[in-house]
Amino acid sequence: MSHGDADNGQVTPRSTFYDQGRFGRLFPTLPPFAADTPSIRAALAELGAPGGPMDAGDDLSDPVTLITDPAKSAHNPNNPTMTAGFTFLGQFLDHDMTFDPTSSLARRQDPESIRNFRIPALDLDSLYGGGPGASPHLYDRSLDGGRTTFLTEEIPGSSAVSIDGSSRHDLARNSQGIALAGDPRNDENLIISQLHLAFLRFHNTVLADVKAALGSAFTDDEIFAEAQRTVRWHYQWLILHEFLPKTVGQATLDDVLTNGLKHYKWRNDPYIPVEFSVAAYRFGHSQVRPSYRANFGTSATDASLQFFALIFDPAAADPNDPADLRGGRRAARRFIDWQTFFDFGDSRARPNKKIDTTLSTVLFNLLGQSPGTPTSLAARNLLRGLTMEVPSGQRVAQAMQLPELAPSDLADLQHLHLHQRTPLWFYILREAAVTANGEHLGPVGGRIVTEVILGLIQGDSQSYLRQDPDWTPTYGSGDAFTIVDLLEAADVVPTIS
């Protein structure tokens, strides 16, 4: 879950021309929540420290009982309305919208001085790269000369350890094990890697169907373009009809759909606001479970034959097949059985965690961070809000003319002097806990996420909302299409008796 750091440098000026770059501000006239001083950095470090107020204190001694015994994660409650996979679907969307490998935790920065290496749209450029011409390494040259079909690879030995005896697949990799993917962050952990794979295979399914429907009268380029459009529109559909309602609440989504965007505006092209990227959309960090059942192994009932693991474990020493769910590795057992993550109607899916100010303990000791920078994800998020000069949650609520949290809701921050000027990320997590019982985002966080995601789709001239707003999916059942439908169409769901 690293987002990249730059070397220490000069302070950059703070611009108010928020719609001229690919990053910007929803509220350019609001001051930052605090001045960047040693005392405020110390307060943020204390708030986000391992063992601190945001650390759930999970018992990490056994990944299996951490899932099955609520007492092992007593301060990190489950979300009864959302299954574990939505955390990673949200991460996949994030990587499709933004990529900032240059910003630093150590210096103040104007977001317009930072280049977004993603087009700010939900158009799957993280999947397609530059297309077969510009990103030929992503496509299978043995089929149609590499002009239409994504390249994926079987995992050697996977059939011997899978519950249905079928071979499982992985992202294609080079000789050093580096994934060939449109966005390298989609190999950060095994779950996001396998979700990226599922989207590749969904494209390949759609492509075969398009080719069969159109026949030989059309060129490979035309067939690819039609398959890509179909995949993108189904993706945008499930975002608007499944991901957003679960994440922000149906009432907030309906209000924005009915009354339009109030705060997210642009003059030329859509941009990514820092209030979204640095604060509101980081709600998913609170949803991460400390451990997951990656797959059922050869038994749906015997836990000893299944692959349970922490999402990250620095003590997992095997470089080829570590006993955690980090990405960047290929081994026979390193695949996902999606019944653990999404609801297929068989009661096997696990919930994700509630949206609140408690994060799983594993996230306080991240892998692969630059020397001298925090390994706590909470501390990193809080410091990023400081260096990006994001306003306080209270000021944003006032600017949006939405109810503020009561002083008693933030009383635990009083000793850090953050109860009246609260970092927006923390404020949005606490708001979700107070106003929605942690089941979805609250008024401020939900409105920001809804407006930006809906605005990105509305601002994309090739989206289904712009091209054909009455369009309905051709995959799924009726006019419904969900992530479960996508996984089934991608043929990545095992048969479990």
Side-chain angles (χ1 to χ4, degrees):
M1 294 196 174
S2 170
H3 295 272
D5 292 312
D7 294 333
N8 292 351
Q10 300 298 315
V11 173
T12 55
R14 189 170 189 267
S15 171
T16 60
F17 294 100
Y18 59 92
D19 56 357
Q20 296 301 304
R22 289 187 171 178
F23 284 98
R25 299 183 187 276
L26 287 176
F27 307 105
T29 62
L30 293 185
F33 82 91
D36 190 347
T37 65
S39 61
I40 195 66
R41 282 184 170 257
L44 297 178
E46 181 178 341
L47 179 59
M54 300 188 73
D55 187 340
D58 301 315
D59 181 349
L60 304 181
S61 59
D62 180 8
V64 177
T65 59
L66 187 55
I67 291 176
T68 59
D69 183 358
K72 299 289 185 177
S73 189
H75 300 292
N76 200 9
N78 291 332
N79 187 336
T81 68
M82 206 182 309
T83 59
F86 283 95
T87 305
F88 301 94
L89 179 58
Q91 185 182 20
F92 184 86
L93 269 62
D94 176 34
H95 295 174
D96 192 30
M97 291 182 280
T98 66
F99 185 22
D100 164 24
T102 62
S103 64
S104 170
L105 300 179
R107 69 177 183 216
R108 285 176 285 160
Q109 288 191 288
D110 176 4
E112 288 192 49
S113 71
I114 303 168
R115 179 184 173 190
N116 182 9
F117 285 76
R118 288 265 82 82
I119 295 172
L122 288 156
D123 62 354
L124 291 175
D125 60 341
S126 61
L127 192 75
Y128 288 100
S135 304
H137 58 288
L138 303 180
Y139 297 86
D140 190 345
R141 293 189 65 182
S142 70
L143 300 171
D144 302 319
R147 293 189 296 273
T148 62
T149 306
F150 281 119
L151 178 65
T152 67
E153 296 174 342
E154 285 192 6
I155 302 174
S158 58
S159 62
V161 296
S162 65
I163 193 168
D164 58 359
S166 64
S167 293
R168 303 306 172 83
H169 291 76
D170 182 22
L171 303 178
R173 298 182 182 276
N174 68 13
S175 61
Q176 295 183 329
I178 304 300
L180 306 183
D183 191 316
R185 296 171 299 169
N186 282 353
D187 198 28
E188 286 180 352
N189 61 70
L190 178 61
I191 306 162
I192 190 69
S193 172
Q194 288 273 294
L195 186 60
H196 188 101
L197 172 78
F199 273 88
L200 298 179
R201 288 173 63 88
F202 179 59
H203 165 90
N204 290 349
T205 295
V206 172
L207 181 85
D209 293 341
V210 168
K211 184 179 293 187
L214 294 183
S216 59
F218 292 85
T219 67
D220 288 339
D221 290 345
E222 290 170 327
I223 290 170
F224 175 83
E226 176 61 13
Q228 184 182 50
R229 180 196 64 79
T230 301
V231 171
R232 283 174 169 165
W233 285 13
H234 280 80
Y235 167 63
Q236 292 165 355
W237 176 278
L238 75 84
I239 291 170
L240 293 183
H241 291 84
E242 183 177 30
F243 178 78
L244 272 182
K246 287 181 177 293
T247 298
V248 306
Q250 190 66 54
T252 295
L253 177 59
D254 289 344
D255 180 56
V256 178
L257 287 170
T258 301
N259 299 310
L261 309 181
K262 294 181 179 179
H263 310 288
Y264 181 50
K265 308 286 186 180
W266 61 89
R267 282 201 295 260
N268 298 312
D269 296 305
Y271 68 102
I272 298 296
V274 290
E275 296 91 342
F276 173 84
S277 63
V278 176
Y281 202 73
R282 296 192 179 221
F283 72 90
H285 295 162
S286 178
Q287 295 179 306
V288 176
R289 298 186 63 88
S291 69
Y292 296 88
R293 177 174 55 192
N295 60 58
F296 295 99
T298 56
S299 172
T301 58
D302 186 346
S304 67
L305 299 176
Q306 301 171 8
F307 184 16
F308 286 86
L310 299 177
I311 183 70
F312 300 119
D313 183 4
D318 187 335
N320 299 314
D321 185 15
D324 66 3
L325 300 180
R326 73 185 70 183
R329 308 292 189 278
R330 178 182 290 168
R333 67 173 178 168
R334 301 190 82 79
F335 58 86
I336 294 296
D337 285 344
W338 290 108
Q339 287 93 333
T340 293
F341 293 89
F342 294 104
D343 183 7
F344 287 80
D346 57 9
S347 302
R348 299 183 192 274
R350 298 297 302 171
N352 63 10
K353 294 299 181 180
K354 286 188 174 183
I355 304 173
D356 56 22
T357 54
T358 301
L359 274 63
S360 295
T361 296
V362 292
L363 300 180
F364 290 81
N365 192 11
L366 296 179
L367 304 172
Q369 303 309 309
S370 302
T373 63
T375 60
S376 160
L377 182 59
R380 296 178 70 83
N381 285 346
L382 292 165
L383 285 171
R384 195 172 298 280
L386 181 68
T387 59
M388 290 289 191
E389 298 186 315
V390 177
S392 70
Q394 290 88 345
R395 286 189 183 275
V396 170
Q398 292 167 11
M400 298 178 77
Q401 298 183 324
L402 292 170
E404 288 183 56
L405 291 178
S408 58
D409 295 326
L410 297 162
D412 55 322
L413 300 182
Q414 189 165 358
H415 72 291
L416 298 172
H417 305 290
L418 295 172
H419 58 300
Q420 293 178 322
R421 47 170 189 169
T422 307
L424 182 59
W425 176 62
F426 187 97
Y427 183 97
I428 283 170
L429 297 182
R430 180 59 55 81
E431 179 193 56
V434 169
T435 65
N437 195 30
E439 295 178 4
H440 56 73
L441 288 168
V444 171
R447 184 89 197 187
I448 292 173
V449 168
T450 303
E451 289 208 13
V452 172
I453 288 181
L454 179 61
L456 290 177
I457 296 175
Q458 291 177 337
D460 176 4
S461 64
Q462 300 303 309
S463 72
Y464 88 88
L465 288 182
R466 291 281 295 276
Q467 291 284 317
D468 187 0
D470 297 324
W471 173 86
T472 56
T474 53
Y475 293 84
S477 56
D479 61 355
F481 179 76
T482 67
I483 187 62
V484 166
D485 294 318
L486 184 147
L487 295 168
E488 290 181 332
D491 194 23
V492 294
V493 182
T495 301
I496 301 176
S497 58

